[in-house]
Amino acid sequence: MDAKQLKQFLQTEGATLVGVGDVTKALSKEIVHLNRGIAIAVNRSLTKETVDQLVRLQTLTEGWLKANGHRSLSIPPDSDRRKDKLITKLYKLFCHKTAATCSGLGWIGKNGLIINEQYGSKLTWATVLTDAPLGPDKPYVSSRCGDCDLCVRHCPSGAVQGHLWSLRNPLREIVSYDKCRSLKSGRAALKGKPNCGFCVTVCPYSRNGAKK
Ligand code: SF4
Ligand code: SF4
């Protein structure tokens, strides 16, 4: 099954990037039949409008797959932020970083975020899992951060550990999220913001910036 048609369709509808990954190894037994992960990204920061745009793209993807006789399961862009909802449990079963790396759209940077060669970490992601036998893209299996350590040096809480991500060692702690959270809770200037964001703004790959 040719993924090119689906990618072109979604890009016409506003997606910035679309990739297909073979996510077989990352699936828990509940969803093992859905072994293709369609990673969809838009070049915008995470706002309600961005979430709405990505959910619309997921709905279009589901419709396209259904019309071709296939099943799908959408993991919404903000599912990790929806407390006490069923979808929060889905996010624990599968996260967007896996689809993005498996579909060759980015690696996990030293800042713990998906880094895309062109857009850095200033993308917002959604995933659709499917049983459609779409031809997968070439995955990232290791980091391309290399010797860069800008996010390590500029993180004010010391949360960024400086480790290189690799598919062979996926559970290694790259960022101490406890340290990151405690910095936020101690600074009034960060009230209402998700975090300080220095590890994104200093990244050379992110300098093109996201649209607001
Ligand atoms: S958001 Fe700020 S405190 Fe948290 S890891 Fe990034 S630079 Fe460090
Ligand atoms: S700042 Fe450098 S080390 Fe950190 S994520 Fe970006 S490229 Fe990787």
Side-chain angles (χ1 to χ4, degrees):
M1 196 173 184
D2 188 7
K4 204 169 158 189
Q5 232 186 341
L6 174 63
K7 291 177 184 175
Q8 282 174 346
F9 168 56
L10 292 177
Q11 281 170 340
T12 307
E13 292 291 335
T16 306
L17 300 172
V18 183
V20 175
D22 178 351
V23 295
T24 310
K25 289 182 183 163
L27 296 172
S28 58
K29 63 180 186 325
E30 295 91 334
I31 51 174
V32 77
H33 56 295
L34 302 170
N35 68 353
R36 289 293 182 269
I38 301 167
I40 306 168
V42 292
N43 181 24
R44 300 175 67 106
S45 50
L46 181 58
T47 61
K48 186 181 175 306
E49 289 72 30
T50 308
V51 171
D52 291 347
Q53 185 186 4
L54 280 164
V55 169
R56 180 179 159 275
L57 289 166
Q58 287 180 307
T59 305
L60 290 171
T61 307
E62 288 170 7
W64 189 91
L65 291 165
K66 193 173 177 189
N68 284 282
H70 296 288
R71 287 185 288 177
S72 59
L73 174 68
S74 288
I75 315 286
D78 60 343
S79 49
D80 56 332
R81 298 183 181 198
R82 299 192 197 187
K83 303 292 176 221
D84 306 323
K85 298 268 170 65
L86 175 65
I87 202 68
T88 311
K89 293 178 185 158
L90 284 181
Y91 188 78
K92 284 180 184 158
L93 290 179
F94 193 88
C95 76
H96 304 307
K97 287 178 186 173
T98 307
T101 55
C102 288
S103 62
L105 292 183
W107 66 91
I108 310 301
K110 287 180 188 171
N111 62 6
L113 300 168
I114 303 162
I115 308 285
N116 172 267
E117 294 258 11
Q118 189 177 355
Y119 298 99
S121 24
K122 292 192 168 181
L123 291 162
T124 305
W125 297 84
T127 304
V128 180
L129 298 174
T130 181
D131 60 1
L134 295 163
D137 294 301
K138 191 172 173 222
Y140 277 102
V141 294
S142 59
S143 172
R144 292 208 184 162
C145 289
D147 293 337
C148 176
D149 65 350
L150 285 171
C151 57
V152 183
R153 284 191 282 126
H154 285 84
C155 173
S157 72
V160 182
Q161 311 285 299
H163 300 314
L164 286 170
W165 167 80
S166 130
L167 197 59
R168 277 184 297 178
N169 198 0
L171 297 179
R172 185 174 200 183
E173 185 181 74
I174 290 178
V175 172
S176 165
Y177 292 104
D178 285 345
K179 286 185 182 173
C180 178
R181 274 191 290 270
S182 55
L183 178 99
K184 175 177 155 49
S185 61
R187 289 200 183 176
L190 296 178
K191 200 174 173 201
K193 295 185 179 171
N195 49 47
C196 82
F198 288 150
C199 57
V200 174
T201 50
V202 297
C203 179
Y205 289 100
S206 298
R207 283 195 189 135
N208 288 339
K211 292 177 193 166
K212 298 291 173 197

